[in-house]
């Protein structure tokens, strides 16, 4: 089951809010991400399958992707590699949210294109801080480009 919350507008501001794609094989993790993202003023769309990421990216053009690495369908590593090879998607920031805590694995994820790696279980405050940093950075650039065009 995919949880999709496609609204780009927060209830409080009536301004477009950053859109995040959450990808995790565990529905409970996706539900937690939904609550966290709502609390920090972001819209969230979700999928529990790595193979679905590309259609979600094409249809919704998220500002950030929170990606688990162990997924049904394509693995998170395969998803990262494909997104970073594509000119249309290579600049979308990807944050790995994973239980793979080995330092070499984290280094590898950063090498292939993740901007950051958060290890499960994580502190909600840590996730909020990392998401806010990357969303503000990417969202500001994307909004500026849209205004210029």
């Amino acid at each position: 089951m995919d949880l999709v919350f496609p609204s780009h507008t927060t209830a409080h501001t009536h301004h477009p809010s950053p859109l995040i794609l959450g990808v995790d094989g565990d529905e409970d993790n996706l539900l937690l991400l939904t609550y966290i993202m709502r609390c920090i003023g972001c819209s969230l769309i979700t999928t529990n399958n790595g193979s679905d990421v590309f259609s979600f990216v094409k249809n919704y053009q998220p500002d950030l992707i929170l990606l688990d690495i162990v997924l049904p369908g394509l693995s998170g590593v395969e998803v990262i590699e494909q997104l970073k090879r594509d000119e249309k998607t290579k600049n979308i920031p990807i944050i790995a949210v994973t239980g793979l805590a080995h330092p070499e694995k984290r280094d590898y994820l950063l090498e292939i294109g993740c901007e950051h790696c958060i290890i499960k279980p994580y502190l909600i405050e840590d996730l909020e801080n990392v998401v806010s940093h990357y969303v503000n950075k990417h969202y500001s650039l994307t909004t500026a480009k849209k205004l210029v065009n």
Side-chain angles (χ1 to χ4, degrees):
M1 172 175 80
D2 294 332
L3 302 172
V4 179
F5 301 95
S7 171
H8 285 276
T9 305
T10 62
H12 304 293
T13 64
H14 300 292
H15 290 98
S17 62
L19 179 64
I20 296 173
L21 171 58
V23 186
D24 197 301
D26 184 292
E27 295 292 333
D28 289 336
N29 289 338
L30 291 175
L31 189 58
L32 178 60
L33 281 178
T34 300
Y35 291 126
I36 295 169
M37 294 306 108
R38 281 185 181 171
C39 288
I40 62 174
C42 294
S43 298
L44 181 76
I45 53 176
T46 66
T47 183
N48 59 6
N49 189 308
S51 300
D52 295 338
V53 170
F54 308 103
S55 64
F56 274 71
V57 168
K58 179 182 175 188
N59 292 329
Y60 294 102
Q61 301 173 353
D63 297 296
L64 175 72
I65 299 172
L66 298 174
L67 180 68
D68 192 6
I69 301 305
V70 179
L71 295 167
L74 291 177
S75 74
V77 169
E78 293 169 306
V79 170
I80 295 164
E81 290 171 341
Q82 288 185 34
L83 288 172
K84 293 303 177 181
R85 278 195 304 260
D86 187 328
E87 283 297 315
K88 294 178 184 173
T89 60
K90 72 178 185 179
N91 293 320
I92 299 172
I94 300 171
I95 298 173
V97 182
T98 181
L100 304 174
H102 200 271
E104 285 82 19
K105 188 65 171 179
R106 286 192 311 236
D107 291 344
Y108 177 69
L109 293 172
L110 296 172
E111 278 178 31
I112 64 169
C114 286
E115 272 64 34
H116 200 89
C117 193
I118 294 184
I119 305 302
K120 296 177 191 174
Y122 52 81
L123 296 174
I124 291 173
E125 183 178 304
D126 292 343
L127 180 64
E128 288 175 346
N129 290 336
V130 170
V131 167
S132 294
H133 171 78
Y134 286 101
V135 163
N136 289 336
K137 182 177 170 183
H138 179 75
Y139 192 62
S140 297
L141 291 173
T142 303
T143 303
K145 286 179 186 176
K146 287 178 184 174
L147 291 175
V148 171
N149 294 329

